[in-house]
Amino acid sequence: MTLSNGRQYLAIPGPSVMPDRVLRAMHRAAPNIYHGELVELVPELVAGLKTVARTSHQAAIYICNGHGSWEAALANVLSRGDRVLVLATGSFAYGWGEVAEGLGGVVEVMDFGRTGGIDTARVSERLVADKAHEIKAVLAVHVDTGSSLRSDIAAVRVAIDEAGHPALLMVDCIASLACERFEMDTWGVDVMVTGSQKGLMTPPGIAFVFYNDRADAVRESAGCASRYWDWRTRTEPDLFYHYFYGTPPTQHLYGLKEALAMIAEEGLEAVWRRHEILAQAVWAAFEHWGGNGPLRLNISDPSLRAHSVTAVVAGSEKGTALRRWCEERAGLTLGIGLGAAAFGAPELDHHFRVGHMGHLSAQMILGALGTIEAGLTAVGIGHRPGGVVAAADVIAAAA
Ligand SMILES: *Cc1c(COP(=O)(O)O)cnc(C)c1O
């Protein structure tokens, strides 16, 4: 006997749940890639992406995952030997820094831990000390998917400006775009990267780099700008074929069109609000279950918590057992703990994550939390029963 048949909820922080509308839009023959509807579609997609990113500047589409977008963004602004300041609030900033190093950059990581925010005074201080302006870019991750910490990006901009420093502000929004408020132009972000498979609800395989005129001016002299990653080819192609520097990712583009239409129909602000409320429901459940016990959220300050993913400290080595139970017995797939060792506990087993991004409703979240509560009991993780009721109260009050 199994209770896991039925529609599975993939509650990992990416890829997220793909809407049927998106999947259906992709289920078609490839179109002509030289003229006709696909050629007309691409400028429409670029406009839709810019709306979601809250920018009036440029958006380049790449056929790659988030890691590819990291490299694409850096290749357009770095020269070998350039210094890069990485602000780490979890695992992903380190990953982006490694890509910078791979391109020949000199990488300096400022680690703020996994439970507090970026200390902008430290950032400012470091930039003021850089009198020769050797630091070419400051790299930050809006939502770190491992720690589930959200950084105040606007405050980082203020810190750079207060230091009177010309470094570009580059931001990874892979786990936050179309999940929570992000204002590229208002916040003064020069370069932003994201992927298709999280808030944008489209299968993994395409990624996006948004950049403004300041960043494009740096691109003029960037020694790393290679032909394939050059963003100019993709935003001002001499022929349509060069939008993608080769064959377009045809089905993905149809999927993305549908996803962007869904976001536009709901309204971006409403999408953000939905994520916020569903996140609050998740937090309420875990705070109730945890009580004073060892089970707890990784981020204790609610104002620093992401609205798209929640990292949990299981308080015992049974985190992995819980994930297995939920997946095999009940059809709910939870995320593994990421960068768990740095959370202060030695084993991955002590941690897990709940992804709550993209195509997600109250009933899905309440179902997931009910499943987790059953799992906590089944595998014997100590908790105060009733977390689902606390989550239901959040939903009832908001809806
Ligand atoms: C998922 C994620 C990445 C990596 O994206 P891939 O598509 O797996 O390469 C990078 N940064 C953040 C914040 C992410 O959530």
Side-chain angles (χ1 to χ4, degrees):
M1 199 274 296
T2 176
L3 298 176
S4 64
N5 287 335
R7 182 162 286 211
Q8 185 215 28
Y9 173 12
L10 186 64
I12 64 175
S16 63
V17 175
M18 305 296 155
D20 289 348
R21 267 177 74 174
V22 169
L23 297 176
R24 273 199 299 272
M26 297 177 75
H27 191 87
R28 50 167 295 174
N32 186 345
I33 60 165
Y34 297 105
H35 61 87
E37 59 171 296
L38 192 76
V39 177
E40 283 152 33
L41 174 61
V42 172
E44 196 187 302
L45 294 178
V46 168
L49 288 165
K50 283 159 62 171
T51 302
V52 174
R54 300 279 193 149
T55 182
S56 61
H57 297 288
Q58 305 280 6
I61 309 178
Y62 291 89
I63 305 173
C64 60
N65 57 18
H67 281 65
S69 73
W70 280 344
E71 181 144 336
L74 290 169
N76 279 281
V77 298
L78 287 192
S79 298
R80 290 190 76 80
D82 276 353
R83 192 170 277 275
V84 171
L85 180 63
V86 173
L87 312 181
T89 53
S91 324
F92 287 88
Y94 278 93
W96 201 2
E98 278 164 19
V99 171
E101 211 168 73
L103 287 168
V106 178
V107 175
E108 191 177 317
V109 178
M110 217 178 242
D111 196 320
F112 299 97
R114 294 170 173 271
T115 54
I118 291 172
D119 178 355
T120 50
R122 265 179 71 196
V123 176
S124 224
E125 196 179 303
R126 177 64 189 92
L127 292 175
V128 166
D130 179 34
K131 299 248 183 307
H133 293 167
E134 285 178 349
I135 295 169
K136 291 294 183 287
V138 175
L139 271 48
V141 176
H142 189 206
V143 164
D144 182 274
T145 324
S147 63
S148 70
L149 191 130
R150 182 187 53 243
S151 292
D152 185 345
I153 297 300
V156 176
R157 172 85 265 164
V158 170
I160 296 172
D161 290 350
E162 281 179 359
H165 199 286
L168 294 174
L169 174 57
M170 303 177 70
V171 181
D172 170 341
C173 286
I174 299 174
S176 60
L177 197 77
C179 300
E180 42 195 319
R181 179 172 296 281
F182 177 79
E183 309 272 1
M184 177 159 169
D185 292 355
T186 309
W187 293 357
V189 173
D190 298 304
V191 179
M192 184 270 277
V193 302
T194 197
S196 56
Q197 77 272 24
K198 300 193 186 181
L200 291 174
M201 306 181 289
T202 304
I206 50 176
F208 316 99
V209 176
F210 300 80
Y211 63 94
N212 65 13
D213 297 344
R214 276 191 77 218
D216 198 39
V218 172
R219 146 77 184 69
E220 263 329 309
S221 56
C224 295
S226 61
R227 196 56 72 85
Y228 189 76
W229 294 118
D230 189 351
W231 60 34
R232 279 208 193 143
T233 315
R234 290 158 190 270
T235 52
E236 296 159 19
D238 50 350
L239 67 163
F240 178 76
Y241 192 62
H242 284 165
Y243 252 119
F244 302 95
Y245 214 60
T247 304
T250 49
Q251 271 69 10
H252 273 76
L253 298 178
Y254 287 118
L256 179 65
K257 176 190 179 189
E258 204 60 28
L260 290 171
M262 291 174 71
I263 292 168
E265 285 163 22
E266 183 176 354
L268 188 57
E269 303 263 353
V271 169
W272 293 339
R273 183 80 183 118
R274 172 167 54 82
H275 279 81
E276 184 180 6
I277 292 163
L278 297 180
Q280 286 167 352
V282 172
W283 307 337
F286 280 98
E287 281 167 349
H288 181 96
W289 289 326
N292 301 318
L295 177 74
R296 62 180 169 82
L297 297 173
N298 181 53
I299 308 292
S300 53
D301 179 350
S303 71
L304 296 176
R305 291 177 191 156
H307 294 166
S308 51
V309 56
T310 296
V312 180
V313 182
S316 83
E317 75 297 344
K318 289 176 177 166
T320 301
L322 175 73
R323 283 193 300 103
R324 290 230 174 87
W325 188 94
C326 288
E327 181 163 56
E328 290 164 13
R329 304 299 181 93
L332 170 72
T333 306
L334 298 171
I336 57 167
L338 207 64
F343 280 144
E347 301 96 2
L348 191 73
D349 287 347
H350 288 252
H351 306 268
F352 62 93
R353 290 174 302 156
V354 185
H356 35 94
M357 51 177 69
H359 190 53
L360 214 64
S361 64
Q363 67 89 3
M364 290 167 74
I365 281 293
L366 290 173
L369 294 171
T371 303
I372 292 169
E373 185 149 359
L376 292 171
T377 303
V379 306
I381 293 179
H383 65 287
R384 184 158 59 116
V388 178
V389 175
D393 287 346
V394 171
I395 300 294

